[in-house]
């Protein structure tokens, strides 16, 4: 088996992208609300007349900012700050076109902390605008200026706080900006500031912004180089274990992004640096933390390598999942099934450990759930067990009546579900052929398959689908059913041949209705 994220049988990229987009959208909206609240708390109570400062006054502000008189500079910065604080976004383009970005970056390093703070406030807001507006700051090496400020822990706390906030906005704009910061070793100053702030036991908001910054360093596709982001592992692990509840939740999401890698050695490094699984299991059981973040983190760590999965099982992950499956209406069922599908994608020992927990019958019942997301994740679990399990484990799946749910999966209008069900059925029926041959009898599993009109369903799917991937799978399935037929021997695809490298459009087969 190749190392990497352990989804098998179909290309999971579209499914994963949609789920991550949904999760990311929810978190992004939550961050926006938090950002607005913080801005409201920090911004002066400007009256309506002041907030309506005309853009034409920028030229006066330019003269004030470039003055040698400190009071003039302060007046100019207050004017810019009023402009960029307008709800809905200030006239950032006008500020950029007037050449004020360079002036603001210079003032960010001013010895007068009031001037430096107001300049950083303005840069932070400009970087929260469009990608083009953020790029205007980066093009003038704004990210380097901010890294330098954050790296000097002798700066006042509010200066450090505002600088790392601006850096966070740049990193969150796009992967290009993120990588520019990481290539300047920007992760180290943020980690040092985070450790320093925690040791001083002050400025809890700065701790939160630092975690947010590291989260933006770790997020995005293509993923950052693991070596660039791994220096934060130790402190992130410590925050998950000992931080305030909100900080722990945020740090857990950050670790989940870091763990979303395809290299097993990186996963092993994460486990060695953080020793985090027992803590995550404990946090879930207390019901005080973000359960989705916990399960997402565990699922990404479940890389498919047997040693990693064995460690997860030894440290209580299966018991955690069992508590979820013991609650039929648990809102965490989808995430838990996703984690489980990764756990059963390795060795027979891991599959057997899952079977021994005694909840596979409930997973099979999920195949008939009214919730389409639950059905699909349950199909991943069952398909992985049926295709990767031992003969005895395949026999067990038949004993718990998996055929009913798998044949319903064939009927699905989603290509992913149809292919997962077909792969599982092919593996089971081939196992039945072997049993029948050894006993000199017909395939015993085929009898169960036909109790649910399996052949008829497979034939209808074959005839009605326009997806090459589904037609390929149905050809294999029908070939196993009619193994002795001349057509299979002469022309159909060999059922032992692996043909899993394909792409499909999950929206292309939506008309199938059987």
């Amino acid at each position: 088996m190749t190392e990497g994220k352990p989804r098998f049988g179909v290309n999971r990229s579209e499914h994963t992208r949609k789920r991550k987009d949904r999760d990311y959208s929810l978190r992004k909206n939550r961050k926006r609300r938090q950002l607005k609240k913080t801005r409201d708390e920090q911004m002066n109570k400007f009256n309506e007349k002041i907030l309506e400062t005309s853009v034409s006054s920028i030229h006066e502000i330019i003269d004030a900012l470039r003055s040698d008189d400190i009071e003039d500079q302060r007046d100019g910065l207050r004017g810019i700050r009023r402009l960029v604080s307008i709800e809905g976004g200030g006239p950032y383009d006008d500020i950029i076109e007037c050449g004020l970005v360079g002036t603001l970056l210079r003032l960010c390093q001013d010895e007068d902390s009031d001037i430096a703070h107001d300049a950083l406030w303005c840069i932070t807001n400009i970087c929260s605008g469009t990608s083009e507006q953020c790029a205007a700051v980066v093009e003038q090496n704004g990210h380097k200026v901010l890294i330098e400020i954050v790296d000097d822990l002798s700066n006042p706390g509010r200066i450090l706080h505002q600088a790392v906030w601006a850096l966070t906005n740049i990193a969150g704009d796009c992967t290009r900006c993120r990588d520019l910061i990481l290539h300047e070793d920007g992760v180290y100053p943020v980690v040092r500031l985070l450790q320093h702030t925690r040791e001083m036991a002050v400025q809890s908001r700065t701790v939160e912004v630092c975690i947010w910054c590291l989260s933006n360093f770790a997020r995005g596709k293509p993923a950052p180089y693991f070596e660039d982001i791994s220096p934060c592992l130790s402190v992130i692990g410590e925050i998950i274990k000992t931080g305030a509840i909100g900080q722990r939740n945020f740090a857990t999401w950050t670790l989940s992004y870091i763990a979303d890698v395809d290299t097993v050695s990186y996963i092993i490094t994460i486990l060695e640096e953080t020793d985090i699984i027992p803590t995550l299991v404990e946090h879930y059981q207390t019901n005080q933390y973000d359960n989705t973040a916990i399960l997402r983190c565990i699922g990404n760590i479940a890389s498919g390598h047997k040693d990693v999965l064995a460690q997860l099982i030894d440290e209580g992950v299966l018991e955690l999942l069992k508590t979820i499956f013991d609650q039929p209406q648990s809102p965490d069922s989808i995430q838990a099934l996703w984690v489980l599908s990764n756990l059963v994608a390795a060795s027979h020992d891991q599959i057997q450990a899952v079977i021994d927990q005694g909840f596979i019958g409930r997973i099979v019942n999920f195949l008939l759930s009214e919730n389409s997301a639950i059905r699909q994740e349950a199909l991943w679990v069952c398909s992985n067990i049926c295709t990767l399990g031992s003969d005895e484990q395949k026999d067990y799946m038949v004993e718990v009546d998996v055929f009913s749910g798998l044949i319903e999966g064939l009927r699905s209008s989603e290509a992913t579900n149809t292919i997962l069900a077909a792969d599982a059925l092919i593996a089971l029926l081939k196992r039945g052929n072997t049993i029948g041959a050894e006993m000199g009898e017909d395939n015993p599993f085929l009898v169960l398959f036909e109790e649910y009109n399996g052949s008829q369903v497979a034939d209808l799917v074959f005839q009605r689908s326009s997806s090459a991937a589904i037609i390929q799978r149905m050809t294999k399935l029908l070939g196993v059913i009619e193994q002795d037929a001349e057509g299979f021997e002469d022309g159909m695809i060999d059922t032992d041949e692996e043909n899993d490298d394909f792409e499909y459009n999950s929206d292309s087969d939506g008309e199938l209705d059987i």
Side-chain angles (χ1 to χ4, degrees), residues 58-109:
I58 287 181
H59 299 289
E60 298 177 5
I61 291 172
I62 293 174
D63 293 336
L65 290 177
R66 292 175 179 172
S67 170
D68 293 332
D69 185 84
I70 291 180
E71 289 305 318
D72 287 345
Q73 291 179 358
R74 287 176 176 169
D75 287 341
L77 281 170
R78 280 194 289 268
I80 290 291
R81 183 166 175 174
R82 289 166 188 164
L83 289 174
V84 301
S85 298
I86 295 174
E87 187 172 357
Y92 302 150
D93 288 334
D94 298 280
I95 294 170
I96 293 168
E97 290 173 5
C98 289
L100 287 179
V101 170
T103 302
L104 290 171
L105 289 171
R106 175 178 57 80
L107 293 174
C108 286
Q109 299 173 295

Side-chain angles (χ1 to χ4, degrees), residues 216-501:
N216 282 349
F217 287 168
R219 182 189 291 134
K221 296 297 179 182
Y225 288 113
F226 185 76
E227 294 79 4
D228 287 340
I229 192 64
S230 60
C232 74
L233 283 173
S234 179
V235 68
I236 287 296
E238 284 302 313
I239 291 171
I240 293 174
K241 294 174 183 177
T242 63
I245 290 179
Q247 295 171 4
R248 294 187 190 195
N249 288 336
F250 210 168
T252 302
W253 275 116
T254 302
L255 187 60
S256 77
Y257 302 141
I258 299 173
D260 189 13
V261 293
D262 294 327
T263 305
V264 172
S265 62
Y266 295 163
I267 297 296
I268 293 173
T269 298
I270 290 171
L271 291 174
E272 291 175 346
E273 289 284 334
T274 63
D275 187 29
I276 203 63
I277 297 301
T279 300
L280 293 176
V281 171
E282 179 184 350
H283 283 183
Y284 187 92
Q285 293 169 342
T286 63
N287 202 31
Q288 295 180 343
Y289 301 94
D290 188 332
N291 290 342
T292 301
I294 292 171
L295 293 172
R296 175 63 55 187
C297 193
I298 293 173
N300 280 340
I301 291 173
S303 67
H305 188 276
K306 62 180 181 179
D307 293 337
V308 171
L309 298 186
Q311 179 176 342
L312 265 61
I313 290 173
D314 290 343
E315 293 177 342
V317 169
L318 284 182
E319 287 76 9
L320 181 155
L321 297 179
K322 188 175 187 300
T323 63
I324 297 173
F325 297 137
D326 282 342
Q327 308 170 52
Q329 304 300 321
S330 172
D332 299 323
S333 294
I334 296 173
Q335 295 292 334
L337 285 166
W338 172 68
V339 174
L340 186 62
S341 71
N342 287 351
L343 290 174
V344 297
S347 71
H348 294 169
D349 289 341
Q350 273 77 58
I351 294 175
Q352 192 59 47
V354 170
I355 291 175
D356 291 343
Q357 281 292 324
F359 52 62
I360 290 298
R362 268 163 283 175
I363 307 304
V364 170
N365 290 337
F366 281 137
L367 294 173
L368 302 175
S369 170
E370 294 181 358
N371 186 312
S372 61
I374 287 179
R375 289 198 304 273
Q376 185 169 94
E377 294 300 340
L379 277 167
W380 276 111
V381 176
C382 294
S383 184
N384 281 348
I385 295 176
C386 292
T387 56
L388 302 174
S390 66
D391 289 343
E392 292 76 13
Q393 289 161 351
K394 293 173 184 176
D395 295 345
Y396 176 79
M397 295 301 290
V398 174
E399 290 176 12
V400 295
D401 193 23
V402 75
F403 277 117
S404 173
L406 292 178
I407 291 171
E408 282 301 312
L410 280 184
R411 302 174 188 268
S412 174
S413 61
E414 294 191 37
T416 302
N417 293 359
T418 301
I419 295 169
L420 287 170
D423 284 345
L425 289 167
I426 290 167
L428 294 179
L429 292 179
K430 288 177 67 176
R431 167 62 180 158
N433 277 340
T434 301
I435 294 174
E438 291 174 351
M439 300 178 63
E441 300 176 355
D442 293 334
N443 183 341
F445 293 173
L446 185 59
V447 176
L448 299 173
F449 177 75
E450 295 297 2
E451 286 183 5
Y452 300 100
N453 300 315
S455 293
Q456 181 183 359
V457 173
D459 188 56
L460 286 171
V461 173
F462 177 79
Q463 293 180 39
R464 297 185 182 184
S465 178
S466 59
S467 164
I470 291 179
I471 291 172
Q472 182 187 69
R473 288 310 200 282
M474 292 305 104
T475 301
K476 283 187 176 184
L477 179 56
L478 292 170
V480 174
I481 295 170
E482 302 172 359
Q483 192 168 32
D484 296 326
E486 182 177 353
F488 175 71
E489 294 292 339
D490 293 341
M492 289 192 178
I493 298 173
D494 186 346
T495 57
D496 289 326
E497 182 181 352
E498 293 297 333
N499 289 285
D500 291 331
D501 296 329

